Amino acid sequence: QQMAAAEAVLSPDEKELGVALVDIGGGTTDIAVFSEGAIQHTSVISVGGDQLTNDIAVGLRTPMIEAENIKKKYGCALGSLVDKDETIPVPGVGGRQPRILSRAVLADITEPRVEEILGLVRRELERHNLMSSIASGIVLTGGTVAIEGVCELAEQLFDMPVRLGYPIGISGLVD
């Protein structure tokens, strides 16, 4: 699966120069490091987007399914990008009335968890002395990376180029 994802989203140049493919899935975050055109290292971290959804459900007191929708629609991994006046609707639990909350409150929940996940990725790369071998930077994939600010936060934490991984050279509809 990682190889298929890598073939779809990484350029030959990235794989040659060195790149880390980081797939933030629901239950886990998968890391694959390529250099000289081949996989050099893979690892799995047991934290992913589901923990973020749970944080939102608990923090905003809303059902998990609503928390997932809020994450996708309004989530922001960098509080500084949020307009302080922006508000979001939050459905209540057990038929309670929905509430209107500041989007900044959501960012206050989202940013620390995304920072934690990316921090664990960085620690894993450092532990295996891989930071210097990923000259072309980091490519992020997975549902969670669609949240506003993930790329910017990752660039700050890794101090290197970060981009979102979209299939290269495939035309037509992309999910």
Side-chain angles (χ1 to χ4, degrees):
Q1 186 185 348
Q2 279 181 326
M3 284 305 291
E7 293 307 315
V9 303
L10 298 179
S11 72
D13 286 348
E14 285 173 321
K15 287 190 281 194
E16 194 57 43
L17 278 170
V19 65
L21 178 64
V22 178
D23 179 20
I24 304 178
T28 62
T29 297
D30 301 330
I31 305 166
V33 174
F34 292 79
S35 68
E36 297 167 17
I39 277 196
Q40 303 297 335
H41 175 82
T42 62
S43 53
V44 178
I45 296 168
S46 60
V47 183
D50 292 349
Q51 282 85 351
L52 180 55
T53 303
N54 188 62
D55 291 349
I56 293 167
V58 171
L60 300 184
R61 297 189 310 279
T62 193
M64 283 292 280
I65 186 110
E66 301 296 351
E68 181 69 20
N69 293 335
I70 289 168
K71 176 177 81 173
K72 287 178 178 164
K73 199 167 181 182
Y74 304 108
C76 186
L78 207 52
S80 59
L81 298 175
V82 174
D83 176 349
K84 297 300 170 216
D85 298 328
E86 194 177 347
T87 59
I88 60 169
V90 178
V93 179
R96 289 184 182 84
Q97 290 292 73
R99 294 161 295 141
I100 301 296
L101 293 178
S102 166
R103 187 168 175 232
V105 170
L106 177 60
D108 288 344
I109 295 168
T110 311
E111 184 173 343
R113 180 64 82 176
V114 174
E115 195 171 339
E116 178 200 14
I117 293 169
L118 294 171
L120 291 168
V121 170
R122 183 178 173 119
R123 264 211 305 282
E124 181 67 15
L125 294 172
E126 286 171 342
R127 198 162 61 93
H128 295 281
N129 299 314
L130 293 164
M131 291 297 283
S132 60
S133 63
I134 51 176
S136 57
I138 293 175
V139 176
L140 298 172
T141 63
T144 301
V145 305
I147 294 173
E148 184 188 1
V150 171
C151 250
E152 293 87 338
L153 180 59
E155 284 190 335
Q156 288 176 18
L157 289 173
F158 288 97
D159 195 29
M160 63 176 62
V162 176
R163 73 173 179 83
L164 297 183
Y166 296 108
I168 292 171
I170 298 170
S171 57
L173 295 174
V174 177
D175 187 357

